[in-house]
Amino acid sequence: ESRTVLDSAEKRRSQHDVPADVAAAREQAWGEYWRRAGDLRRSLEHKHRALNLYERIGDQRSVLATYNNLSLIYGQLKEFDRSIDYARRVVDASARMSVEPEILNSVHLNLGATFFWQARYDDAIKQYQAALDGSRAAGLALHTWRAHYNLAEAYYKRSQATRDAEDERLGDADSLQHALGEAP
């Protein structure tokens, strides 16, 4: 259904002068469509167009949300340096200004995943823990659930590498909290 709506919007695009914020939202939607369809390169094209438009109109919230999206996509493409760069932009911004908890905690989850994919389990655990702490504080149940799940996996993988029984115990605890849907 979304493809039909997006195609219809594209057809009307040439017939109407579209404000930049609407054009940016359309590019974001296309980017998300292509990400979910598995065409990550095409998704990046649209996300970067959206980013350019948001920067031009000064929509800082949408710029940060797009950085978060780009971090996720570059991580999925295994372009880890770029993924980390876009995530750090959000984290750095949070030191200077208020960033919506959903964006900040999402970027900690994305950054944790990027480190996890690189087998940098210590760094992944730090990011997942930051997401868990921030999500709890903000009352973001889905982010809390994801942070528990990701922590369990990271502790498990680190325990395999180090044979540390404490990591296995911590992973089990987060796995249980994830399954129960509650915070320890």
Side-chain angles (χ1 to χ4, degrees):
E1 288 180 29
S2 62
R3 178 68 189 259
T4 303
V5 172
L6 288 167
D7 284 339
S8 176
E10 283 299 315
K11 287 178 187 174
R12 293 185 178 130
R13 179 178 166 177
S14 63
Q15 300 166 356
H16 303 283
D17 189 24
V18 178
D21 61 330
V22 174
R26 185 187 61 236
E27 292 296 341
Q28 275 285 43
W30 270 115
E32 189 59 19
Y33 172 82
W34 289 115
R35 185 184 74 79
R36 289 179 181 261
D39 191 338
L40 299 178
R41 291 290 169 198
R42 207 159 174 189
S43 175
L44 281 175
E45 291 174 22
H46 289 281
K47 294 291 184 177
H48 278 288
R49 284 187 206 130
L51 178 60
N52 289 336
L53 289 164
Y54 288 134
E55 287 174 336
R56 191 174 333 145
I57 62 176
D59 184 345
Q60 191 61 32
R61 186 237 170 255
S62 295
V63 166
L64 294 174
T66 306
Y67 287 165
N68 184 40
N69 297 154
L70 289 167
S71 174
L72 173 64
I73 296 165
Y74 280 119
Q76 291 173 323
L77 286 167
K78 310 294 186 231
E79 292 184 27
F80 300 125
D81 290 341
R82 293 182 97 174
S83 175
I84 292 167
D85 175 57
Y86 280 105
R88 294 268 186 230
R89 292 179 192 196
V90 176
V91 173
D92 291 348
S94 74
R96 297 185 314 274
M97 60 187 278
S98 178
V99 174
E100 288 180 25
E102 187 172 354
I103 294 171
L104 184 58
N105 291 301
S106 291
V107 89
H108 282 301
L109 289 169
N110 291 345
L111 194 50
T114 296
F115 291 140
F116 183 86
W117 291 327
Q118 294 175 298
R120 294 172 56 184
Y121 302 120
D122 293 342
D123 293 328
I125 289 167
K126 287 177 189 170
Q127 293 303 316
Y128 293 149
Q129 188 64 53
L132 178 61
D133 295 343
S135 298
R136 281 182 180 157
L140 299 171
L142 180 59
H143 289 73
T144 299
W145 182 83
R146 286 179 177 159
H148 274 303
Y149 178 85
N150 292 345
L151 272 168
E153 281 198 74
Y155 279 125
Y156 174 72
K157 291 302 269 183
R158 189 169 76 176
S159 78
Q160 284 183 318
T162 65
R163 306 266 189 241
D164 185 345
E166 179 63 7
D167 277 344
E168 187 173 352
R169 186 193 70 73
L170 290 168
D172 288 345
D174 273 301
S175 182
L176 177 62
Q177 295 310 317
H178 171 262
L180 295 174
E182 40 182 63

